[in-house]
Amino acid sequence: MTRQLIFKKKLYGSKIAPACSYCKYGTPAADGRMIYCRRRGVVSPYYSCRQFEYDPLMRVPRRQELPQFDPNDFSLD
């Protein structure tokens, strides 16, 4: 009997670099600068190990800049 491997698509693409700040096993430490990893202990937020599993709820998106408009952009003249 042959076994077929099923490969899942990576969530949100493959351009996300692994980091403990948004890992399934990491939680922010009390000081706010370090991450407490259930597997490795206290680590840097940019550290990653073999047990890294992406958790999209841990990721903080970058703030987007909104374009500046003036009132003339909305007038019908």
Side-chain angles (χ1 to χ4, degrees), residues 69-77:
F69 295 107
D70 67 18
N72 293 331
D73 293 336
F74 299 103
S75 67
L76 296 176
D77 294 333

Side-chain angles (χ1 to χ4, degrees), residues 1-2 8 10 15 19 28 35 49 51-52 68 74 76:
M1 186 163 137
T2 62
K8 291 183 179 180
K10 289 193 175 193
K15 296 185 182 195
I35 301 294
C49 62
Q51 284 80 25
F52 173 79
Q68 299 294 325
F74 299 103
L76 296 176

Side-chain angles (χ1 to χ4, degrees), residues 39-60:
R39 305 287 178 139
R40 301 284 178 180
V42 178
V43 295
S44 167
Y46 306 108
Y47 178 78
S48 67
C49 62
R50 289 185 184 183
Q51 284 80 25
F52 173 79
E53 286 188 39
Y54 179 64
D55 184 7
L57 299 177
M58 295 285 291
R59 190 171 178 101
V60 177

Side-chain angles (χ1 to χ4, degrees), residues 6-47:
I6 300 173
F7 295 99
K8 291 183 179 180
K9 284 178 120 179
K10 289 193 175 193
L11 193 61
Y12 299 109
S14 61
K15 296 185 182 195
I16 297 171
C20 285
S21 61
Y22 43 85
C23 178
K24 173 182 173 181
Y25 302 111
T27 55
D31 67 354
R33 292 182 294 172
M34 301 299 278
I35 301 294
Y36 176 71
C37 177
R38 286 184 256 160
R39 305 287 178 139
R40 301 284 178 180
V42 178
V43 295
S44 167
Y46 306 108
Y47 178 78

